[in-house]
Amino acid sequence: MQDHVTPRRVVILGGGFAGLFAARALRRSPVAVTVVDRRAHHLFQPLLYQCASGILSEGQIAQPLRGVLRRHHNVRCVLAEATDVDTGARLVHARRPDGGDLRLPYDDLIVAVGMRQSYFGHDEFAAHAPGMKTLDDALEVRRRIYRAFEMAETAADDRERREWLTFALVGGGPTGVELAGQIREIAGHTLDREFQRIDSANARVLLFEGSDAVLGAFGPRLAHRAARTLTDLGVELRLGTRVTDIDERGLSVRGQDGTTTRVAARTVLWTAGVEAPPVIAALARATGAKQDRAGRVLVEPDLTVPGHPEIRVTGDVMSLNRLPGLAEVAMQSGAYAGRVVRHSVEGRTKQPKPFKYLDLGSAAYIARGRAVVKAGPLHLSGLPGWLVWLFVHLAFLTGFRSRMGAVLSWAVVFVTGSRRERAFNLPEAGASAGRAATPQASAPPP
């Protein structure tokens, strides 16, 4: 067995769900853990859309990473972005926010960096259609949603007013469905009677999806119920469509018959597609590991990279048995990786059992009192689905303050439709209304 520096050095890339649960599994182990993340907070990514729509504040879905791990005395947090891995020297190369370089030696490496937004080769779309992977994204989406109503109020003519009151969302997965439902509730309830020149309830919400169903992963039955709920709310579903162009005035979409249609919409939001961040490509080059179409690393049953038993890939960036990119997968795989390292340090020589995912189901919140939940044979929708959704998300929110704050915020929204987290900033005079952005690396479910 190779000699290691004492204590054994474990580097975890990413402070999302996978990285956090890996660090927690090593809490009482005689190891030195370094958690590297480009952001100083742990983000509850499944609730980003609620921050964007004004239900929850940033502090209710994001907790300081150092605060979350403050009782883990063997854990060191480093604010930096991993850029490369030297497998021969067992070094992680990282870049600090000021551009400075870091070299972090490791004996065990747990990769949990999460996925970033993918624009399917059209990164120029990002300036006009922000995604929903980071806290910055959520605040940008909030700004665009509420700004649109303000701009419609002072529009020069009916045409401009209609454009500002048209919201186009690209992608019919959980994030797209949840955000579409929230915008309709904002228009029909939250902003009711707040404007003098416009009726916010007249806002159009269009949801574009390339397949023939929204929430296709939930199965035909729940997908149908979700589509019916969205339609009842006033969301216009445009299924079987592909976006071919986006600019500051709208988007062009191609239908199944091959015809291209122009849709005028001043607010376009991107909720489709993810890809692995650049460090995963660097890891694959260094190890010879294979990647799937989205850039995920194909791993062994024990989550190791083939030929490198000291490197484990977890969460959204691992490709194993077609496991979905869910928070539960990230949590369980991160905890598994941490336990395996702990057992190795403790001298357990038995070969670890393959990682086995316990499917806890999937859930999507559509509107007040309406959600869909799929957990094995259990399929729920409407109020029962919403109650299960509520329990599951409360269970996984980090911190007592976050749970209590979320409960109070949800109660206010459920009873009154009011949203208190509606503050947003506008660009300085002369600045472009669109955000010149490129896809950002995400940090879980972390």
Side-chain angles (χ1 to χ4, degrees), residues 196-276:
Q196 285 72 47
R197 297 187 61 189
I198 65 170
D199 182 355
S200 62
N202 290 332
R204 297 178 65 198
V205 179
L206 290 76
L207 181 59
F208 297 90
E209 166 58 31
S211 68
D212 59 359
V214 296
L215 296 183
F218 283 66
R221 182 181 175 187
L222 288 182
H224 174 73
R225 291 184 180 180
R228 185 175 61 191
T229 300
L230 288 170
T231 301
D232 290 343
L233 289 171
V235 177
E236 301 175 35
L237 302 181
R238 302 292 178 86
L239 305 178
T241 56
R242 302 283 180 178
V243 174
T244 59
D245 191 29
I246 301 177
D247 58 35
E248 63 183 8
R249 300 294 293 271
L251 69 166
S252 298
V253 296
R254 185 171 60 246
Q256 292 177 322
D257 60 358
T259 60
T260 299
T261 304
R262 175 71 181 176
V263 179
R266 297 293 186 103
T267 305
V268 182
L269 307 175
W270 190 272
T271 59
V274 292
E275 64 183 9

Side-chain angles (χ1 to χ4, degrees), residues 137-153:
D137 289 338
L139 296 178
E140 174 66 11
V141 169
R142 180 196 294 178
R143 181 179 75 85
R144 295 194 181 211
I145 291 173
Y146 288 103
R147 180 194 65 172
F149 292 99
E150 298 291 345
M151 295 298 290
E153 175 76 356

Side-chain angles (χ1 to χ4, degrees), residues 9 19 22-23 42 55 71 117 133 143 164 199 203 206 214 256 266 294 348 351 358 441:
R9 300 163 300 185
H42 166 77
I55 296 176
R71 292 192 174 93
Q117 199 73 62
K133 299 296 290 181
R143 181 179 75 85
W164 280 114
D199 182 355
L206 290 76
V214 296
Q256 292 177 322
R266 297 293 186 103
R348 304 188 191 186
Q351 184 72 17
L358 176 61

Side-chain angles (χ1 to χ4, degrees), residues 167-178:
F167 299 83
L169 289 83
V170 183
T175 301
V177 166
E178 291 166 335

Side-chain angles (χ1 to χ4, degrees), residues 401-413:
R401 175 177 172 271
S402 296
R403 291 190 179 98
M404 290 301 298
V407 168
L408 292 175
S409 297
W410 288 334
V412 170
V413 173

